[in-house]
Amino acid sequence: TIGIIGPGGGGCPDSENLFLFGDETAVPAIIRMLQEAPGNVRAFIRASHEDLCELAVDDRVSIVPDLMPALQALELCDGAYVWFAGHADQARAARTYLASRGIQKRDFTAAAYWS
């Protein structure tokens, strides 16, 4: 049996300060949220430039070699929302890290896009 699904889409977190982290699998969702975000938004993407052909890289987007050091270097202000998507191990590590910093579960998403 083979199952095929398309992009699920989803909403953009409603936050004045939104931080997006993702690998190449998360680029379509990150593009959508960059376009829809109501406030300040920054994206940190681990991907090659070939993977980013759809994304107009501007001062809101940083290409990083690894997501976790970028997440750990982030200074979070009150009211910030962190969205993280990528490999299951990375999503688990992000979830653990954010919780250890005292970030409430309502203030972040850490989704496994692949394993």
Side-chain angles (χ1 to χ4, degrees):
T1 303
I2 297 175
I4 300 174
I5 61 171
C12 180
D14 186 23
S15 174
E16 283 301 311
N17 294 294
L18 177 61
F19 297 94
L20 309 171
F21 292 83
D23 61 18
E24 61 277 4
T25 64
V27 168
I30 289 172
I31 290 170
R32 179 179 43 77
M33 286 188 273
L34 282 167
Q35 294 169 344
E36 295 176 5
N40 300 318
V41 61
R42 286 287 320 271
F44 301 86
I45 302 171
R46 185 188 61 89
S48 68
H49 289 285
E50 293 81 27
D51 292 325
L52 301 177
C53 60
E54 293 180 51
L55 182 61
V57 177
D58 59 26
D59 61 346
R60 301 177 304 162
V61 178
S62 298
I63 307 303
V64 296
D66 192 2
L67 295 173
M68 285 306 297
L71 176 62
Q72 292 165 342
L74 185 65
E75 290 292 326
L76 291 174
C77 55
D78 288 338
Y81 191 94
V82 176
W83 184 92
F84 188 103
H87 188 277
D89 292 341
Q90 292 271 298
R92 191 174 311 107
R95 200 174 302 118
T96 300
Y97 173 74
L98 291 166
S100 76
R101 292 247 338 245
I103 309 299
Q104 300 295 310
K105 189 161 176 65
R106 70 175 179 268
D107 295 326
F108 72 87
T109 296
Y113 269 30
W114 60 284
S115 60

